[in-house]
Structure formats: C-alpha cells, structure tokens
Amino acid sequence: MGDDMPDGPLHGIRVVEFAGLGPGPFAAMLLADAGADVIRVDRPAGPVDGGALTRGRPWIGLDLKTGTGHATAAELIEHADVLIEGFRPGVMERLRLGPETCLAGNPRLVYGRMTGWGQDGPRAREAGHDINYLAVTGALRSIARRGEAPVPPLNLVGDYGGGGMLLAFGITTALLERQASGRGQVVDAAMTDGVSLLMTGIWSRAAQGRWSTEPGTNDIDSGAPFYDVYRTADDEYVAVGAIEPQFWARLLDGLGLDPAELPGQWDRERWPELKKQVAEAFAGRTRAGWSAVFADRDACVTPVLSMAEAPGDSQIAARGTLTPGPGGPQPTPAPRLARTPLRTRSPGTVAEILDRWGVATGDRR
C-alpha cells in the first residue's frame, strides 16, 4: 500500500521494543502495522533476521551494559509511550531499566512484559518454550487423537495467540486507560495466562459436563465423524466441520451415503463405526474431486492445503490475506479497519524516528 494511505489507528504512539524472539516481536509487529512508531533495540553486532516478524520498524544497536548504550536506551524510554521486553524476570532490573526506574522517569509509560510463566510464581525464573506452557495448562493434553500422544500445535497457541496477541491487547487497554488517568502501568503478559484464556470455551464445556478429559472423544477434538480430517485417494486430505444437522445431511449427500443406513449423527457409542464409513467414502476420490463435489453444497468441507498451496486458494487470493514479501508470502496486517487501515509500513530510519521523538543522542544510522 502507498504512503498516501490514512494514518493507522495507533499513529503517534511511540514504542521501544527490546529485541527478543517470538511473542515480543509479534506484539511489536502488530503495533507497527497499526501505525505506531516502533524502534527496535538490538545487539550492537546487528539483529537476527526475524523476517516478517520484524517488519515496519528500524533497529538501533546498543550495548545496554555500557554507559553510552544505557543512556541512549534510557532517553528513548523517556520519550516513549510503550516499552516491550521479553526477558526473564529480573533481567531488565539488573540493567537498571526495570519498570520502577522507567516509570519514575516517564510516569505515562506503558511497560509491556512478555514471559512464559509470568513475573511471579515458583516457575517464574525457569526456562521454557511454547510446548511447556501448553503442557501445564491442560491445552497440550487436550490436543490428541484417542489413545495417541498429544500433538504440539506448532507454536501458535503459546507464543502468538496466548503470548504476542495477549501482550498487544494488554498494551492497547493500558493506553486507553491512560487517556483517563494520565498514568502508565506495567502489563504482565504470561503465555500460561494467555493459553488458559484461549481454553475458556473448553473449560466452560467441562464445567457444564459437556467435555470429556479423555482426548479424541469429544465433538471438536477428532472424536466425532463430523469434525475431522480425512485422507483422499491421492493421499491428500479434506477437512470436515459438519456439526449442525443441515451440514451433516449435505455431507452425507455429497458422499453418497444414505442416513437411513447409518448410525445417528450424535450416537457417540457408534462414532468409531460411523467415522470408518465416512473415511472409506472419502478414500474413493481425490482431494480435487471432493472439492468439486462440495463446491456448492455448503457442507463445511474444505481441502487441506499446504503452505505452498495456500496463496492460490480463491478466498485467500481474493482478500489478499497473504502479501508478497522479500522471502516469499507473508500475512497481510489484520483486522481490517474501514477508515484507518492497518498496513505494512516502511520502517524508515533510526534518524527519522529520533528526530520525530526529539531524541538528541544515539546511533543515527
């Protein structure tokens, strides 16, 4: 998109991002896509290439353990609205850039902290990754077929959904609150908290007696014949989400199966038998063949595409959900705002940002 586009909804917000991996950069990317002025503080030797995760903002190399590097970082923070850091608890304090120090110099600062375990608790200072945070929340054990080991769902649930998005949401709410109070605050975003929030619907089902803790036996965890993936004749897959009765009826019609000769859709005891019959039917045609059969049936049946195939999907292409990038396709900024759209912006230079912020010092590359 061109530079003549309207400013984003976070235009004028100044963000200092201390470089990290995964969820912190993702949160900073979201803020940058929304129009915030973000400068990324990285190691003096140069940043690790984060691809699209580092889009929309320039970097400045600072050694925070030296007087000059620390002074430059402190001045940036004094001019900022938001700080993002993803170190273990205590690291920023040891660098003399903890929230107490920074908020004393800039009381309006929103200090965003991204960790796996949170700022307190017995595991707070332990190492961990996405899979560990999912493990203790009950999420990982719930993502499995019956009788099989749990399957790590990439690092989407902890790092990005329960991490970076949670941090971006927390920062945005703190910025809104600041309009009334005039004061900043600390945002403690923990992936264990975020993953648990993403599990709210499952916890609700369990509380209502509608969820079995045995994985692969429920209606949306591969236990049901109407919500699963099925192999096709060419060793590809289709995804089926025919939960409602009208979709289930259209599914059976497309498969050529007579409902009068089958167990009922919600006969849980016979789900394995019913799933076998559906699987045998799907095995009779290629993925392309089934795509043609269900193209106009509105039965919640879609082809399972690889990342290489996804850009060619008609819906993805029509909405421009993926955008060409330097190393290949990358996701287009979202959600879509009518007046002040999110977009991938030119990162500009450190010097331009320092001038806008009124910062007189620093490496002005």
Side-chain angles (χ1 to χ4, degrees):
M1 296 184 181
D3 290 334
D4 57 343
M5 291 291 291
D7 292 327
L10 294 184
H11 175 72
I13 296 296
R14 300 170 173 182
V15 182
V16 175
E17 171 201 0
F18 286 84
L21 299 174
F26 183 60
M29 184 199 79
L30 295 177
L31 300 182
D33 287 349
D37 229 0
V38 184
I39 186 166
R40 179 177 169 92
V41 176
D42 215 316
R43 64 192 71 191
V48 175
D49 182 16
L53 283 174
T54 56
R55 72 189 182 194
R57 64 247 196 228
W59 67 276
I60 182 171
L62 298 177
D63 185 347
L64 300 176
K65 296 180 180 179
T66 67
T68 302
H70 183 276
T72 301
E75 186 169 3
L76 286 171
I77 294 166
E78 287 178 7
H79 287 78
D81 297 290
V82 176
L83 181 153
I84 291 176
E85 64 96 357
F87 303 120
R88 292 197 208 185
V91 171
M92 288 293 280
E93 284 81 355
R94 290 195 293 275
L95 292 169
R96 295 177 290 122
L97 294 172
E100 185 175 345
T101 300
C102 292
L103 284 164
N106 181 359
R108 290 175 56 82
L109 181 70
V110 174
Y111 196 111
R113 316 198 78 171
M114 183 76 257
T115 61
W117 306 113
Q119 295 297 314
D120 53 23
R123 287 195 174 99
R125 285 171 169 76
E126 289 183 10
H129 282 294
D130 184 289
I131 193 171
N132 306 115
Y133 312 134
L134 268 64
V136 302
T137 60
L140 184 60
R141 188 67 187 91
S142 302
I143 304 173
R145 292 187 176 278
R146 188 172 191 173
E148 296 184 10
V151 177
L154 305 182
N155 64 334
L156 303 178
V157 181
D159 279 350
Y160 298 112
M165 280 194 178
L166 182 74
L167 178 59
F169 171 70
I171 287 170
T172 305
T173 58
L175 287 171
L176 286 171
E177 191 279 335
R178 192 183 69 173
Q179 293 180 358
S181 69
R183 300 169 58 197
Q185 59 184 303
V186 175
V187 178
D188 176 1
M191 283 179 256
T192 48
D193 296 343
V195 172
S196 294
L197 274 176
L198 293 175
M199 287 280 287
T200 299
I202 305 302
W203 282 109
S204 297
R205 284 173 174 238
Q208 297 164 5
R210 298 189 298 114
W211 188 262
S212 168
T213 56
E214 182 183 0
T217 64
N218 297 284
D219 54 353
I220 57 170
D221 67 353
S222 79
F226 49 78
Y227 200 92
D228 206 348
V229 294
Y230 291 96
R231 189 187 297 269
T232 56
D234 52 347
D235 284 331
E236 297 291 347
Y237 294 90
V238 294
V240 173
I243 299 175
E244 290 79 7
Q246 67 272 27
F247 301 138
W248 175 246
R250 293 169 193 159
L251 171 69
L252 296 183
D253 180 63
L255 292 174
L257 296 174
D258 184 353
E261 299 177 356
L262 299 173
Q265 180 185 357
W266 288 93
D267 187 347
R268 289 176 179 264
E269 295 297 320
R270 300 183 69 184
W271 273 357
E273 172 191 344
L274 186 52
K275 179 176 285 193
K276 181 180 178 181
Q277 292 176 279
V278 172
E280 289 174 350
F282 271 118
R285 296 192 190 207
T286 64
R287 187 184 67 180
W290 288 119
S291 294
V293 167
F294 287 102
D296 299 314
R297 270 193 165 82
D298 199 25
C300 301
V301 177
T302 48
V304 176
L305 304 180
S306 68
M307 289 178 64
E309 295 172 310
D313 177 75
S314 59
Q315 183 67 18
I316 299 295
R319 282 181 61 84
T321 300
L322 294 171
T323 303
Q330 61 177 261
T332 301
R336 303 182 184 212
L337 276 64
R339 287 191 300 102
T340 55
L342 281 62
R343 62 190 177 99
T344 303
R345 290 167 168 78
S346 169
T349 66
V350 170
E352 290 169 342
I353 288 187
L354 295 180
D355 286 340
R356 283 198 295 271
W357 291 19
V359 177
T361 186
D363 183 344
R364 303 175 71 79
R365 283 174 289 177

Coordinates of all heavy atoms in Angstrom, one line a residue, residues 91-167:
V91 N 15.8 -9.4 34.7 CA 16.9 -9.0 33.7 C 16.9 -7.5 33.5 O 17.9 -6.8 33.6 CB 16.8 -9.8 32.4 CG1 17.7 -9.2 31.4 CG2 17.0 -11.3 32.6
M92 N 15.7 -6.9 33.2 CA 15.6 -5.5 33.0 C 16.0 -4.7 34.3 O 16.6 -3.7 34.2 CB 14.3 -5.1 32.5 CG 14.0 -5.6 31.1 SD 15.0 -4.7 29.8 CE 14.1 -3.2 29.6
E93 N 15.7 -5.3 35.4 CA 16.0 -4.6 36.7 C 17.6 -4.6 36.8 O 18.1 -3.6 37.3 CB 15.4 -5.3 37.9 CG 13.9 -5.1 38.0 CD 13.0 -5.9 37.1 OE1 13.5 -6.6 36.3 OE2 11.8 -5.8 37.2
R94 N 18.2 -5.7 36.5 CA 19.7 -5.7 36.6 C 20.3 -4.7 35.6 O 21.4 -4.3 35.8 CB 20.2 -7.1 36.4 CG 19.9 -8.1 37.5 CD 20.7 -9.4 37.4 NE 20.4 -10.2 36.3 CZ 19.4 -11.1 36.3 NH1 18.6 -11.2 37.3 NH2 19.1 -11.8 35.2
L95 N 19.7 -4.5 34.5 CA 20.1 -3.5 33.5 C 19.8 -2.1 33.9 O 20.1 -1.1 33.2 CB 19.6 -3.8 32.1 CG 20.1 -5.1 31.5 CD1 19.2 -5.4 30.2 CD2 21.5 -5.0 31.1
R96 N 19.2 -1.9 35.1 CA 18.7 -0.6 35.6 C 17.7 0.0 34.6 O 17.6 1.2 34.5 CB 19.9 0.3 35.8 CG 20.8 -0.1 36.9 CD 22.0 0.8 37.0 NE 22.9 0.6 35.9 CZ 23.3 1.6 35.1 NH1 22.9 2.9 35.3 NH2 24.1 1.4 34.1
L97 N 16.9 -0.8 34.0 CA 15.8 -0.4 33.1 C 14.5 -1.1 33.5 O 13.6 -1.2 32.6 CB 16.2 -0.7 31.7 CG 17.4 0.1 31.1 CD1 17.7 -0.5 29.7 CD2 17.1 1.6 31.0
G98 N 14.3 -1.4 34.7 CA 13.1 -2.1 35.2 C 12.0 -1.1 35.3 O 12.2 0.1 35.1
P99 N 10.7 -1.5 35.5 CA 9.6 -0.7 35.5 C 9.6 0.4 36.5 O 9.2 1.6 36.3 CB 8.4 -1.6 35.7 CG 9.0 -2.9 36.2 CD 10.4 -3.0 35.7
E100 N 10.1 0.1 37.7 CA 10.2 1.2 38.7 C 11.0 2.4 38.3 O 10.6 3.5 38.4 CB 10.7 0.6 40.0 CG 10.6 1.6 41.2 CD 11.1 0.9 42.5 OE1 11.1 -0.3 42.6 OE2 11.3 1.7 43.5
T101 N 12.2 2.1 37.7 CA 13.1 3.1 37.3 C 12.5 3.9 36.1 O 12.5 5.1 36.0 CB 14.4 2.5 36.8 OG1 15.0 1.8 38.0 CG2 15.4 3.6 36.3
C102 N 11.9 3.1 35.1 CA 11.4 3.7 33.9 C 10.2 4.6 34.1 O 10.0 5.7 33.6 CB 11.2 2.7 32.8 SG 12.7 1.9 32.2
L103 N 9.3 4.1 35.0 CA 8.1 4.8 35.3 C 8.3 6.0 36.1 O 7.6 7.0 36.1 CB 7.0 3.9 36.0 CG 6.3 2.9 35.0 CD1 5.6 1.8 35.8 CD2 5.3 3.6 34.1
A104 N 9.4 6.0 36.9 CA 9.8 7.2 37.7 C 10.2 8.3 36.7 O 9.9 9.5 37.0 CB 10.9 6.9 38.6
G105 N 10.9 8.0 35.6 CA 11.3 9.0 34.7 C 10.3 9.3 33.7 O 10.3 10.4 33.0
N106 N 9.3 8.4 33.5 CA 8.2 8.6 32.5 C 6.9 8.0 33.0 O 6.6 6.8 32.7 CB 8.6 7.9 31.1 CG 7.6 8.1 30.0 OD1 6.5 8.7 30.2 ND2 7.9 7.6 28.9
P107 N 6.2 8.7 33.8 CA 5.0 8.2 34.5 C 3.9 7.7 33.6 O 3.0 7.0 34.0 CB 4.6 9.3 35.4 CG 5.8 10.2 35.6 CD 6.5 10.1 34.3
R108 N 4.0 8.2 32.3 CA 2.9 7.8 31.3 C 3.3 6.5 30.6 O 2.5 6.1 29.7 CB 2.7 9.0 30.4 CG 2.0 10.2 31.0 CD 1.9 11.3 30.0 NE 1.2 10.9 28.8 CZ -0.1 10.9 28.6 NH1 -0.9 11.2 29.7 NH2 -0.7 10.6 27.5
L109 N 4.4 5.9 30.9 CA 4.9 4.8 30.1 C 4.0 3.5 30.4 O 3.8 3.2 31.5 CB 6.3 4.5 30.5 CG 7.0 3.3 29.8 CD1 7.2 3.6 28.3 CD2 8.3 3.0 30.4
V110 N 3.7 2.8 29.3 CA 3.0 1.5 29.4 C 4.2 0.5 29.2 O 4.8 0.4 28.2 CB 1.9 1.3 28.4 CG1 1.4 -0.1 28.4 CG2 0.8 2.3 28.6
Y111 N 4.5 -0.2 30.3 CA 5.6 -1.1 30.3 C 5.2 -2.6 30.1 O 4.7 -3.2 31.0 CB 6.3 -1.0 31.7 CG 7.7 -1.5 31.8 CD1 8.8 -0.7 31.9 CD2 8.0 -2.9 31.7 CE1 10.1 -1.1 32.0 CE2 9.3 -3.4 31.8 CZ 10.3 -2.5 32.0 OH 11.6 -3.0 32.1
G112 N 5.3 -3.1 28.9 CA 4.9 -4.4 28.5 C 5.9 -5.5 28.7 O 7.0 -5.4 28.1
R113 N 5.6 -6.5 29.5 CA 6.5 -7.6 29.9 C 5.9 -8.9 29.3 O 4.8 -9.3 29.7 CB 6.7 -7.6 31.4 CG 6.9 -6.3 32.0 CD 7.6 -6.4 33.4 NE 9.0 -6.7 33.3 CZ 9.9 -6.6 34.3 NH1 9.4 -6.4 35.5 NH2 11.1 -6.8 34.1
M114 N 6.7 -9.6 28.5 CA 6.3 -10.8 27.9 C 7.1 -12.0 28.4 O 8.3 -12.0 28.2 CB 6.4 -10.7 26.4 CG 5.9 -11.9 25.6 SD 4.1 -12.0 25.5 CE 3.8 -13.2 26.7
T115 N 6.5 -12.9 29.1 CA 7.2 -14.1 29.6 C 6.3 -15.3 29.4 O 5.1 -15.2 29.0 CB 7.5 -14.0 31.1 OG1 6.3 -13.8 31.8 CG2 8.4 -12.8 31.4
G116 N 6.9 -16.5 29.6 CA 6.1 -17.7 29.6 C 5.3 -18.0 30.8 O 4.1 -18.3 30.8
W117 N 6.0 -17.8 32.0 CA 5.4 -18.2 33.3 C 4.8 -17.0 34.0 O 4.0 -17.2 34.9 CB 6.4 -18.8 34.2 CG 7.1 -20.0 33.6 CD1 8.5 -20.1 33.2 CD2 6.6 -21.3 33.2 NE1 8.8 -21.3 32.7 CE2 7.6 -22.1 32.7 CE3 5.3 -21.8 33.3 CZ2 7.5 -23.4 32.3 CZ3 5.1 -23.2 32.9 CH2 6.2 -23.9 32.4
G118 N 5.1 -15.8 33.6 CA 4.7 -14.6 34.4 C 5.8 -14.0 35.3 O 6.9 -14.6 35.4
Q119 N 5.5 -12.9 35.9 CA 6.6 -12.2 36.7 C 6.7 -12.8 38.1 O 7.6 -12.5 38.8 CB 6.2 -10.7 36.8 CG 6.3 -10.0 35.5 CD 7.7 -10.0 34.9 OE1 8.6 -9.7 35.5 NE2 7.7 -10.3 33.6
D120 N 5.8 -13.7 38.5 CA 5.9 -14.3 39.8 C 5.5 -15.7 39.8 O 5.1 -16.3 38.7 CB 5.1 -13.5 40.9 CG 3.6 -13.3 40.4 OD1 3.2 -14.1 39.6 OD2 3.0 -12.4 40.9
G121 N 5.6 -16.4 40.9 CA 5.2 -17.8 41.0 C 6.5 -18.7 41.0 O 7.6 -18.2 40.6
P122 N 6.4 -20.0 41.3 CA 7.5 -20.9 41.5 C 8.3 -21.1 40.2 O 9.5 -21.5 40.3 CB 6.9 -22.1 42.1 CG 5.5 -22.1 41.7 CD 5.1 -20.7 41.7
R123 N 7.7 -21.0 39.1 CA 8.4 -21.2 37.8 C 8.9 -20.0 37.1 O 9.4 -20.0 36.0 CB 7.5 -22.0 36.8 CG 7.3 -23.5 37.2 CD 6.7 -24.2 36.0 NE 6.6 -25.6 36.2 CZ 5.5 -26.3 36.5 NH1 4.3 -25.6 36.7 NH2 5.4 -27.6 36.7
A124 N 8.6 -18.8 37.7 CA 8.8 -17.5 37.0 C 10.2 -17.4 36.4 O 10.3 -16.8 35.3 CB 8.6 -16.4 38.0
R125 N 11.2 -17.9 37.0 CA 12.6 -17.7 36.5 C 13.1 -19.0 35.8 O 14.3 -19.0 35.4 CB 13.5 -17.3 37.7 CG 13.4 -15.9 38.1 CD 14.1 -15.5 39.3 NE 14.1 -14.1 39.5 CZ 13.1 -13.4 39.9 NH1 11.9 -14.0 40.2 NH2 13.1 -12.0 40.0
E126 N 12.2 -19.9 35.6 CA 12.6 -21.1 34.8 C 12.6 -20.9 33.3 O 11.8 -20.0 32.8 CB 11.7 -22.3 35.1 CG 11.9 -22.9 36.5 CD 10.9 -24.1 36.7 OE1 10.3 -24.6 35.7 OE2 10.8 -24.6 37.8
A127 N 13.4 -21.6 32.6 CA 13.3 -21.5 31.1 C 12.1 -22.3 30.6 O 11.6 -23.1 31.4 CB 14.6 -22.1 30.5
G128 N 11.7 -22.0 29.4 CA 10.5 -22.7 28.9 C 10.3 -22.3 27.4 O 10.8 -21.3 27.0
H129 N 9.5 -23.1 26.7 CA 9.1 -22.7 25.4 C 7.6 -23.0 25.3 O 7.0 -23.6 26.2 CB 9.9 -23.5 24.3 CG 11.2 -23.0 24.1 ND1 11.5 -21.8 23.5 CD2 12.5 -23.5 24.3 CE1 12.8 -21.6 23.4 NE2 13.4 -22.6 23.9
D130 N 7.0 -22.7 24.1 CA 5.6 -22.8 23.9 C 5.0 -24.1 24.4 O 4.0 -24.2 25.1 CB 5.4 -22.6 22.4 CG 3.9 -22.7 22.0 OD1 3.3 -23.7 22.0 OD2 3.4 -21.6 21.5
I131 N 5.7 -25.2 24.0 CA 5.2 -26.5 24.4 C 5.1 -26.7 25.9 O 4.2 -27.4 26.4 CB 6.1 -27.6 23.8 CG1 5.4 -29.0 23.8 CG2 7.5 -27.7 24.4 CD1 6.2 -30.1 23.0
N132 N 6.0 -26.1 26.7 CA 6.0 -26.2 28.1 C 4.8 -25.5 28.7 O 4.2 -25.9 29.7 CB 7.3 -25.7 28.7 CG 8.5 -26.4 28.1 OD1 9.3 -25.7 27.5 ND2 8.6 -27.7 28.3
Y133 N 4.5 -24.3 28.2 CA 3.4 -23.5 28.7 C 2.1 -24.2 28.4 O 1.1 -24.1 29.2 CB 3.5 -22.1 28.1 CG 4.8 -21.5 28.2 CD1 5.4 -20.8 27.1 CD2 5.6 -21.6 29.3 CE1 6.7 -20.3 27.2 CE2 6.9 -21.1 29.4 CZ 7.4 -20.4 28.3 OH 8.7 -19.9 28.4
L134 N 2.0 -24.8 27.2 CA 0.8 -25.5 26.9 C 0.6 -26.8 27.8 O -0.5 -27.1 28.2 CB 0.8 -26.0 25.4 CG 0.2 -25.1 24.4 CD1 0.9 -23.8 24.3 CD2 0.1 -25.8 23.0
A135 N 1.7 -27.4 28.1 CA 1.7 -28.6 28.9 C 1.0 -28.4 30.3 O 0.3 -29.3 30.7 CB 3.1 -29.2 29.1
V136 N 1.3 -27.3 31.0 CA 0.8 -27.2 32.3 C -0.6 -26.6 32.4 O -1.2 -26.6 33.5 CB 1.8 -26.3 33.2 CG1 3.2 -26.9 33.2 CG2 1.8 -24.9 32.7
T137 N -1.1 -26.1 31.3 CA -2.4 -25.5 31.3 C -3.6 -26.5 30.9 O -4.7 -26.2 31.0 CB -2.5 -24.4 30.2 OG1 -2.2 -24.9 28.9 CG2 -1.5 -23.3 30.6
G138 N -3.2 -27.7 30.5 CA -4.2 -28.7 30.1 C -4.4 -28.6 28.6 O -5.1 -29.5 28.0
A139 N -3.9 -27.6 27.9 CA -4.2 -27.5 26.5 C -3.5 -28.6 25.7 O -4.1 -29.2 24.8 CB -3.7 -26.1 26.0
L140 N -2.2 -28.8 25.9 CA -1.5 -29.8 25.1 C -2.1 -31.2 25.2 O -2.2 -31.9 24.2 CB 0.0 -29.8 25.5 CG 0.9 -30.7 24.7 CD1 0.9 -30.3 23.3 CD2 2.3 -30.7 25.3
R141 N -2.4 -31.6 26.5 CA -3.0 -32.9 26.7 C -4.3 -33.1 26.0 O -4.8 -34.2 25.6 CB -3.2 -33.2 28.2 CG -3.6 -34.6 28.5 CD -2.4 -35.6 28.1 NE -2.8 -37.0 28.3 CZ -3.3 -37.7 27.3 NH1 -3.6 -37.2 26.1 NH2 -3.6 -39.0 27.5
S142 N -5.0 -31.9 25.7 CA -6.3 -32.0 25.0 C -6.2 -32.1 23.5 O -7.2 -32.3 22.8 CB -7.1 -30.7 25.4 OG -7.3 -30.6 26.8
I143 N -5.0 -31.9 23.0 CA -4.9 -31.9 21.5 C -4.2 -33.2 21.1 O -3.0 -33.3 21.0 CB -4.0 -30.7 21.1 CG1 -4.6 -29.4 21.6 CG2 -3.9 -30.6 19.5 CD1 -3.7 -28.1 21.3
A144 N -5.1 -34.2 21.0 CA -4.6 -35.6 20.7 C -5.7 -36.4 20.2 O -6.9 -36.2 20.5 CB -4.0 -36.2 21.9
R145 N -5.4 -37.4 19.3 CA -6.4 -38.4 19.0 C -6.5 -39.4 20.1 O -5.6 -39.6 20.9 CB -6.0 -39.0 17.7 CG -6.1 -38.1 16.5 CD -5.9 -38.8 15.2 NE -6.1 -37.9 14.1 CZ -7.2 -37.5 13.5 NH1 -8.4 -38.1 14.0 NH2 -7.3 -36.7 12.5
R146 N -7.6 -40.1 20.1 CA -7.9 -41.1 21.2 C -6.7 -42.1 21.2 O -6.4 -42.7 20.2 CB -9.2 -41.7 21.0 CG -9.6 -42.6 22.1 CD -11.1 -43.1 21.9 NE -11.6 -43.7 23.1 CZ -12.9 -44.1 23.2 NH1 -13.7 -43.9 22.2 NH2 -13.3 -44.7 24.3
G147 N -6.1 -42.3 22.4 CA -5.1 -43.3 22.6 C -3.8 -42.9 22.0 O -2.8 -43.7 22.1
E148 N -3.6 -41.7 21.5 CA -2.3 -41.3 20.9 C -1.7 -40.1 21.8 O -2.4 -39.5 22.6 CB -2.5 -40.8 19.5 CG -3.0 -41.9 18.6 CD -3.1 -41.5 17.1 OE1 -2.6 -40.4 16.8 OE2 -3.7 -42.3 16.3
A149 N -0.4 -39.9 21.5 CA 0.3 -38.8 22.2 C -0.2 -37.4 21.8 O -0.7 -37.3 20.6 CB 1.8 -38.9 21.9
P150 N -0.1 -36.5 22.7 CA -0.5 -35.1 22.3 C 0.3 -34.6 21.1 O 1.5 -35.0 20.9 CB -0.2 -34.3 23.5 CG -0.3 -35.2 24.7 CD 0.2 -36.5 24.1
V151 N -0.2 -33.7 20.3 CA 0.5 -33.2 19.2 C 0.7 -31.7 19.4 O -0.2 -30.9 19.6 CB -0.4 -33.3 17.9 CG1 0.3 -32.7 16.7 CG2 -0.6 -34.8 17.6
P152 N 2.0 -31.2 19.4 CA 2.3 -29.8 19.6 C 1.7 -29.0 18.4 O 2.0 -29.3 17.2 CB 3.8 -29.7 19.6 CG 4.2 -31.1 19.9 CD 3.2 -32.0 19.4
P153 N 0.8 -28.0 18.6 CA 0.1 -27.3 17.5 C 1.0 -26.2 17.0 O 0.7 -25.0 17.1 CB -1.1 -26.8 18.2 CG -0.7 -26.6 19.6 CD 0.3 -27.7 19.9
L154 N 2.2 -26.5 16.5 CA 3.2 -25.5 16.1 C 3.5 -24.7 17.4 O 3.3 -25.2 18.5 CB 2.8 -24.7 14.9 CG 2.4 -25.5 13.7 CD1 2.0 -24.5 12.5 CD2 3.5 -26.4 13.2
N155 N 3.8 -23.4 17.2 CA 3.9 -22.6 18.4 C 2.9 -21.5 18.3 O 3.1 -20.3 18.8 CB 5.4 -22.1 18.6 CG 5.8 -21.1 17.5 OD1 5.3 -21.2 16.4 ND2 6.7 -20.2 17.8
L156 N 1.8 -21.8 17.8 CA 0.7 -20.8 17.5 C 0.0 -20.4 18.8 O -0.4 -19.3 19.0 CB -0.3 -21.3 16.5 CG 0.2 -21.7 15.2 CD1 -0.9 -22.3 14.3 CD2 0.9 -20.6 14.5
V157 N -0.2 -21.4 19.7 CA -1.1 -21.2 20.8 C -0.4 -20.4 21.9 O -1.0 -19.5 22.5 CB -1.7 -22.5 21.4 CG1 -2.6 -22.3 22.5 CG2 -2.4 -23.3 20.2
G158 N 0.8 -20.8 22.2 CA 1.5 -20.1 23.3 C 2.2 -18.8 22.9 O 1.9 -17.7 23.3
D159 N 3.1 -18.9 21.9 CA 3.9 -17.8 21.5 C 3.1 -16.7 20.9 O 3.2 -15.5 21.2 CB 5.0 -18.2 20.5 CG 6.2 -18.8 21.1 OD1 6.3 -18.8 22.4 OD2 7.0 -19.4 20.4
Y160 N 2.2 -17.0 20.0 CA 1.5 -16.0 19.3 C 0.1 -15.7 19.7 O -0.2 -14.5 20.1 CB 1.5 -16.4 17.8 CG 2.9 -16.5 17.3 CD1 3.5 -17.7 16.9 CD2 3.7 -15.3 17.2 CE1 4.8 -17.8 16.5 CE2 5.1 -15.4 16.8 CZ 5.6 -16.6 16.4 OH 6.9 -16.7 16.0
G161 N -0.8 -16.7 19.8 CA -2.2 -16.4 20.3 C -2.2 -16.0 21.8 O -2.8 -15.0 22.2
G162 N -1.6 -16.9 22.6 CA -1.6 -16.6 24.1 C -0.5 -15.8 24.5 O -0.4 -15.4 25.7
G163 N 0.4 -15.4 23.7 CA 1.6 -14.5 24.0 C 1.5 -13.2 23.4 O 1.1 -12.2 24.0
G164 N 2.0 -13.1 22.1 CA 2.1 -11.8 21.5 C 0.7 -11.0 21.4 O 0.7 -9.8 21.6
M165 N -0.3 -11.7 21.0 CA -1.6 -11.1 20.9 C -2.1 -10.6 22.3 O -2.7 -9.5 22.4 CB -2.7 -12.0 20.3 CG -2.6 -12.0 18.8 SD -4.0 -12.8 18.0 CE -3.6 -12.6 16.3
L166 N -1.9 -11.4 23.3 CA -2.2 -11.0 24.7 C -1.5 -9.8 25.1 O -2.1 -8.8 25.7 CB -2.0 -12.1 25.6 CG -2.4 -11.9 27.1 CD1 -3.9 -12.0 27.3 CD2 -1.7 -12.9 28.0
L167 N -0.2 -9.7 24.8 CA 0.6 -8.5 25.1 C 0.1 -7.3 24.4 O -0.1 -6.2 25.0 CB 2.1 -8.8 24.8 CG 3.0 -7.6 25.1 CD1 3.0 -7.2 26.5 CD2 4.4 -7.9 24.7

